[in-house]
Amino acid sequence: GNSVTQMEGPVTLSEEAFLTINCTYTATGYPSLFWYVQYPGEGLQLLLKATKADDKGSNKGFEATYRKETTSFHLEKGSVQVSDSAVYFCALNRGSSNTGKLIFGQGTTLQVKP
Amino acid sequence: GAVVSQHPSWVICKSGTSVKIECRSLDFQATTMFWYRQFPKQSLMLMATSNEGSKATYEQGVEKDKFLINHASLTLSTLTVTSAHPEDSSFYICSSLSGRVYNEQFFGPGTRLTVL
């Protein structure tokens, strides 16, 4: 079945460090891939997305490239800030019927220290 | 972006009582809403898809008589946890599917339910 696997956290970095959060997926068909961010006490927000192979999603300095050959969608940022501290979820849209249903990874907590 | 609210943000109830959680899309109409459950340090698990004017579609393993969903208007869906038990304690999150932004879900802030 379809699934998403993320690297376990928490990930603790110093400010301005380089960030990578790994995400791999298993899916039939051609899913769309998403990264969501959940700041403390808030709901999930869409960070970026990619809808087909080799697409690169980007937003707020974060990037992720849809790699069909490695079934991956790793999240990267060149220089993190304290305000980036949050829980990050990788997700895929389930099925080709585009029902809007999402399958989430387990989430990765990022802690950025000044 | 679109705003989705949930009420209450947290609730504590006694075992055997029923609890209703509201999910509202504040500035757009949502024909489809989703209800998720999130356990501590775990992922969001889709419970059901709520469609305005029709019965909800439940995911495998979710008891529809336990978790009653009503989507009576284009801006409101409710989840009622009936005869709640301690194992129902969890973080419940709703999302609304926006027709303005194709296939994008907007999430509510979640409701923390604790059943004593």
Side-chain angles (χ1 to χ4, degrees):
Chain A
N2 298 333
S3 66
V4 177
T5 302
Q6 291 179 233
M7 64 187 289
E8 287 192 22
V11 174
T12 302
L13 296 173
S14 297
E15 210 165 19
E16 299 184 2
F18 184 86
L19 168 71
T20 299
I21 300 178
N22 290 337
C23 171
T24 57
Y25 67 91
T26 302
T28 55
Y30 301 96
S32 295
L33 301 173
F34 306 83
W35 276 101
Y36 283 85
V37 59
Q38 185 177 30
Y39 297 103
E42 299 183 16
L44 275 72
Q45 301 173 26
L46 178 64
L47 182 59
L48 54 83
K49 66 179 180 182
T51 58
K52 61 182 186 297
D54 299 325
D55 267 3
K56 177 186 284 188
S58 61
N59 185 26
K60 300 180 181 179
F62 291 89
E63 293 183 340
T65 301
Y66 189 148
R67 301 287 187 196
K68 192 171 185 298
E69 64 276 12
T70 54
T71 61
S72 65
F73 193 54
H74 304 321
L75 182 67
E76 297 181 336
K77 186 174 185 181
S79 177
V80 293
Q81 306 299 313
V82 173
S83 57
D84 294 326
S85 298
V87 182
Y88 292 82
F89 292 92
C90 185
L92 65 82
N93 171 267
R94 187 166 71 185
S96 58
S97 59
N98 230 5
T99 61
K101 291 184 178 181
L102 293 170
I103 293 177
F104 287 89
Q106 68 269 39
T108 302
T109 299
L110 170 65
Q111 299 173 340
V112 181
K113 297 185 175 181
Chain B
V3 179
V4 176
S5 69
Q6 280 184 241
H7 177 79
S9 55
W10 59 270
V11 57
I12 301 173
C13 69
K14 293 182 179 180
S15 186
T17 61
S18 295
V19 175
K20 180 185 285 187
I21 302 170
E22 293 184 349
C23 176
R24 293 181 184 274
S25 55
L26 297 184
D27 53 356
F28 67 100
Q29 294 181 333
T31 56
T32 300
M33 292 183 173
F34 299 95
W35 285 97
Y36 297 85
R37 186 172 178 177
Q38 184 181 26
F39 291 101
K41 298 184 179 181
Q42 293 189 28
S43 184
L44 281 75
M45 299 298 295
L46 180 64
M47 299 175 64
T49 303
S50 171
N51 297 297
E52 187 267 338
S54 64
K55 291 182 178 181
T57 304
Y58 290 82
E59 296 299 303
Q60 190 172 9
V62 178
E63 301 175 59
K64 60 181 181 181
D65 294 330
K66 173 77 172 175
F67 299 100
L68 300 178
I69 291 173
N70 184 277
H71 194 156
S73 78
L74 288 171
T75 59
L76 173 64
S77 176
T78 60
L79 168 68
T80 301
V81 184
T82 62
S83 186
H85 291 284
E87 58 266 29
D88 299 324
S89 298
S90 190
F91 196 54
Y92 293 88
I93 301 173
C94 73
S95 70
S96 297
L97 198 62
S98 170
R100 295 182 304 184
V101 183
Y102 181 65
N103 205 31
E104 180 168 347
Q105 293 187 32
F106 294 92
F107 287 81
T111 297
R112 173 75 59 193
L113 170 64
T114 302
V115 184
L116 302 177

